[in-house]
Amino acid sequence: MTLSISQGKEAHETISNPGFQSQWARLHEACPWATAFQSPGYITAWYEAYKDQYSPLVVSEFSAAGDLIGLISLATENGSGRPIVAGGHQAEYKAWLALPANGNSFIEAALKLLASETGAGVLSFGYLPPGTPTDWTIRSRGTSWICDLKPHPRPLIPLSVEGDVAGYLQKKKSAKNTRNSWNRLKRLGELRLEHIREAGQLAPIFDQLITYYDIRQGGTRGKFSFESDLAKKPFHLALLRVPNLLHVTILKAGQETISAWFGVTGRKMYSGAMPMLSPFHSASSPMAVHLLMLVEQLHQDGYSVFDLTAGADPFKDRFAASYDSVDSLSIYFSRGKWIKHTIAQGGEALARRALRSLRIAPNSAVEHVKQVARVPLGTWPAVLAQGSVALLKRSLSKPQWRIYVLEPKNVPAIEDAPLMSRDRLADLLPFQPVEFWRTRQGFLAESLKNIESGHHFYTRVENGRLLHLTWFVENQKAQVFPGTDQAFDFPPGSAVVHGSYTDPGSRGRGLCQSALRQILHDVARVPGINYVFTAVPADNKPARHVIEKVGFTYQGVDAGLR
C-alpha cells in the first residue's frame, strides 16, 4: 500500500492525467457511499472554476498492484493555506473515496498525513453521504484530535415504486393550497416543465434566474450568492457540460419562466439545490407546482430518490415523504482549535439570542455593522448627529401626510424619451444604502413584499448603482397608503404612487419628476383607473413641490391614523 500527498502544480498534473482519471472513475463506481459530488467530472470542474481562489491538494492510496484504492480531493485557500474539502460550499456532500475494506483506515491515515504535511488545524466535511464509514472517529478519542460528528434528518421523496409515487402526487396535488397555486398559474398560460440539458440552453436565461435567486436570498438572508462568488455561474455552466451530472428544469407559464430548480444527479438520486422563483409570481407558490411536476418527471426517467437535502425548511418538511439521517463532520487536529471554535460558537449563539430578544434579525445586524464600518472616521460627528435626528423622528413621531390626487384624463404628454425602466428586477440589486440605519437586506425585503403584493416599480440605474426608484399600485384596495400607517378611503378605480427613493448623490437631477411623468403616462393607458393618489410628508417641501409640478392637486390632510 502506498499513501501519498500532492499539492499545487503536482496535484493538478495528477488529477489531469487520463490514466489517473480512469482509476478515479473506477474507484468512484466501486465506493458504496460515493455521490456525484466526489466524481471526477464534478471535482475537476470545481478545481477549474475556483483556481483563482484554491489550489488542488490530493491524498491518494495505491495497492501493491498499482490500483487506486483511496482518494480524498482537497484544496488549499490561496494566501492563507487553509485546507478545505474540494467542492467547498457548492458541494452538498463531502467524503473520501475508498474500497469498503479500507474505508476507515484510508481516511485515518490520510488525515494524519495531511496534518503533518500541511499543519492543518480544522477540516469540515459538512454533510457526509449515508453509509460513509465513521468508526475511525471513535478511535480518535483520547488523542489530540477531536471529531465532531452530528446527525441531521434528511427529507426524501422515494420515486421507484409506481403506486407510492402516484399516491404521493395525488395527495399533494389535491391539497387546497397546491390546487389553488396550480389554478392561478394556469391563468398565465400553459404550464410546462422543460429540462435544460446543455450549457447553451441555460446561458441565455441564466442571468434572469440569478437575479431571482440573489434578490430572494438577499432579502431573506442578506446573502448574494452569485454576486459575491463570481465563479459560481461559470462553475454551473461547466457542470452542465458533464453528461448526466447537473439536472436543471424550468417551469414556464406560456412563454414566461417563473421558476427553476438545479440538482446534482448520480446513482439514480437527485439532490436538489438552488430553487429559483420569480417574485412576480411567488404569491402563487410556483415552487410547489414545480416540485410535483419534477417528481413526476424524475420517476418517469428512472430515478429512485428525490433528496430534498438536510436543513431546517418548512417547505421541505411540507413535501417530504420520508426521512433518513446524514452526519455532519468537523475535525479539529488540536484541542486548542476545538476550544477556540467552541468559544466562538458560544459567543455567536449568545449574540443571536440577544438580537432575537430585541427583535433584530442577526443577518440584518451584521449588515448594519458593515454599513457603519463604511462610514469615514472623519465624518462620524456629522453622521451621528444626522442619524440621531432621523432616528428620533422615526421612533418618536408619526408624520402628518398630505394627500394629493390626479385624474388620468389630466395627465400631460411626455415629450422626452423615458428615463425609467419598469419592473426590471435586476435594477433592485445595485441599491447601495448611504444612511447607516438602512440596509440592503431591508430594502430588498421590502421590495419583495411590494412585488408579491402586485406593485410595479420604476427605476434608473447608472454605472452599476440604483439612482432612483418609485413604486406604483394599479388597483389599491386596502384602505391604507402603502409604506405608511395612513388610513384613507380610496374611491373605486384608485391607483397609488408611493415609496420614491433617490440616491443622495443624484438629487437635484429631476429623476423623481421624470419617474412620476412616466408612471402617469402609463396610467393614462390603463382602463378603469379614475384617480391616482399619492401621500407626501407635510414637512417635505421639495417632494410636495415635485408632486404639484407634475399635476397633482392637494386633497387634504387625513388625521385618521390606525
Side-chain angles (χ1 to χ4, degrees), residues 180-191:
N180 290 341
S181 298
W182 216 290
N183 291 334
R184 286 195 297 268
L185 292 173
K186 281 182 177 179
R187 297 189 194 111
L188 302 173
E190 178 191 2
L191 291 179

Side-chain angles (χ1 to χ4, degrees), residues 449-489:
K449 180 181 177 181
N450 286 339
I451 293 171
E452 291 167 357
S453 298
H455 300 198
H456 299 281
F457 56 97
Y458 289 71
T459 52
R460 178 71 178 180
V461 170
E462 292 180 9
N463 300 319
R465 190 179 186 95
L466 177 63
L467 302 187
H468 183 79
L469 165 71
T470 295
W471 291 93
F472 170 66
V473 190
E474 282 188 358
N475 187 11
Q476 179 67 10
K477 295 180 179 179
Q479 294 184 329
V480 176
F481 266 98
T484 77
D485 57 359
Q486 179 71 57
F488 188 78
D489 290 326

